[in-house]
Amino acid sequence: MKWRIFFLLCGTIIVATFGVRIVFGTDAEKQRVSNSAVAYVRYTYPALDVRVQQVDYMFPHSTRYFVTFTSPTSPDTTFTVYVKRNGQVTHDDYDQVHLRETTYQRLNDEYAAWTERVLRSDTFPYPITYGQGFIRRKEDDSVVEGISPSDLELDEAFDLIAYGTMYGHLHLDLSQPTSTNESLSDIARGTRRYFDDHQVPFHTLSLSVTDQDDIYFVPSLFYDELESPLLEDIIESRILTD
C-alpha cells in the first residue's frame, strides 16, 4: 500500500513538472531562445542598437517564444523575434518598425491617454460606460480622412494638437438611455465644448446608446458640425439602429 502511494505521488510530481514545462517553459529554454534571438538580430540587423526586453512563452497559442527587443535610443524601434523551443528562429516583425506601425501605435497611445484623462474627469458632464479617443488610420473606403503610418517619421516628437485636430476621433458609449435627436445633439455639443475647455482637439465624434432593446449609433459627426443649428437633422440622417 505504501509503495502504491509512493509511486502515485512520484507520478503526480512528474506529470505536474512536465505540465509546468509545457505551459510556462523553462529557464533553460528561455536562455537558449534568448541567445538565439540575439545572434539572429546581430546577423540580420547589424546596425541596430537593441536589447532583449523580455522573453515570453506563447502557450497555448503556440509552442514558440516571443523575444521582444527594444532600443535605448529609439522609442519606435521595438520588435519581436519568434523562436522555437529548440532555439530555431522562425521569423521577426521588424517590418512593423520599417512601415512605421510602431510609430503610429505610439502616437495613438499618447492621444488615447490624453483624451482618457478628460473623459475620466469627475466633471465630465455625461454618464458613459465607455469612452475612447484614437487617431484615425487612412482607409480606402472611409469618407473621413485618416493618417497613413508611412507618412510618420521614426521617433517623431508628436504635435498632439495638430494630429488631434486633423485625425482625432472620440467615441462615447452613453450609459443613460436616450434616442431623441435633441438629446444626442445636446450631448455632442456639450462634449465639444468640454473638450474645447480642456484644450484637447478632435476631428470627429461618434455616439452609441442602448435604449430598451435598441442600439443607436451615430458615426462620424465632424467637429465643425457640432455647433451647426442643423445638428439634429444631421444626426437624423446618419443615425443607425440595431
Side-chain angles (χ1 to χ4, degrees):
M1 185 67 175
K2 292 182 178 180
W3 283 105
R4 185 176 299 176
I5 295 174
F6 172 76
F7 285 122
L8 181 61
L9 288 174
C10 289
T12 301
I13 292 171
I14 291 172
V15 170
T17 301
F18 182 75
V20 169
R21 180 177 181 272
I22 290 295
V23 174
F24 299 105
T26 67
D27 290 340
E29 282 183 352
K30 289 181 179 180
Q31 188 60 54
R32 178 166 59 246
V33 301
S34 179
N35 292 341
S36 296
V38 168
Y40 168 83
V41 170
R42 286 177 178 170
Y43 177 80
T44 310
Y45 310 109
L48 291 183
D49 177 20
V50 293
R51 309 286 189 273
V52 173
Q53 182 188 46
Q54 63 187 51
V55 180
D56 296 308
Y57 193 43
M58 297 172 61
F59 184 89
H61 307 291
S62 173
T63 55
R64 290 179 298 179
Y65 282 86
F66 288 130
V67 183
T68 303
F69 287 82
T70 58
S71 169
T73 58
S74 169
D76 296 336
T77 302
T78 177
F79 61 96
T80 301
V81 176
Y82 301 85
V83 189
K84 292 182 178 180
R85 292 169 61 180
N86 64 4
Q88 179 185 355
V89 175
T90 60
H91 64 288
D92 68 72
D93 61 6
Y94 180 70
D95 62 318
Q96 298 299 296
V97 178
H98 178 69
L99 296 172
R100 300 297 184 264
E101 290 291 343
T102 55
T103 306
Y104 165 78
Q105 189 59 57
R106 181 168 60 88
L107 169 61
N108 192 62
D109 289 346
E110 290 185 15
Y111 184 73
W114 196 23
T115 56
E116 183 179 23
R117 287 194 294 271
V118 178
L119 291 171
R120 289 194 173 187
S121 169
D122 292 338
T123 58
F124 186 69
Y126 307 110
I128 58 175
T129 56
Y130 175 77
Q132 180 189 35
F134 61 89
I135 298 295
R136 279 191 180 274
R137 295 175 62 106
K138 183 177 181 180
E139 298 178 8
D140 293 337
D141 59 347
S142 176
V143 298
V144 182
E145 185 178 8
I147 193 169
S148 174
S150 61
D151 292 335
L152 298 170
E153 296 182 9
L154 189 71
D155 303 327
E156 178 179 339
F158 300 126
D159 182 346
L160 285 183
I161 292 178
Y163 279 119
T165 301
M166 295 176 63
Y167 307 113
H169 179 80
L170 296 179
H171 175 74
L172 305 182
D173 283 340
L174 305 173
S175 59
Q176 181 175 325
T178 179
S179 58
T180 67
N181 296 338
E182 180 180 3
S183 296
L184 292 173
S185 64
D186 287 344
I187 292 170
R189 286 193 182 97
T191 298
R192 168 181 159 153
R193 293 166 184 168
Y194 190 84
F195 270 74
D196 284 349
D197 290 343
H198 287 75
Q199 299 180 321
V200 178
F202 63 91
H203 184 58
T204 50
L205 169 71
S206 59
L207 303 170
S208 66
V209 61
T210 300
D211 192 348
Q212 297 182 354
D213 294 329
D214 295 320
I215 299 174
Y216 297 88
F217 176 60
V218 184
S220 298
L221 296 169
F222 290 89
Y223 177 85
D224 291 339
E225 292 177 328
L226 300 181
E227 291 296 344
S228 168
L230 301 177
L231 181 56
E232 290 183 33
D233 295 331
I234 294 171
I235 291 176
E236 174 66 29
S237 68
R238 296 182 192 170
I239 193 168
L240 306 172
T241 306
D242 185 9

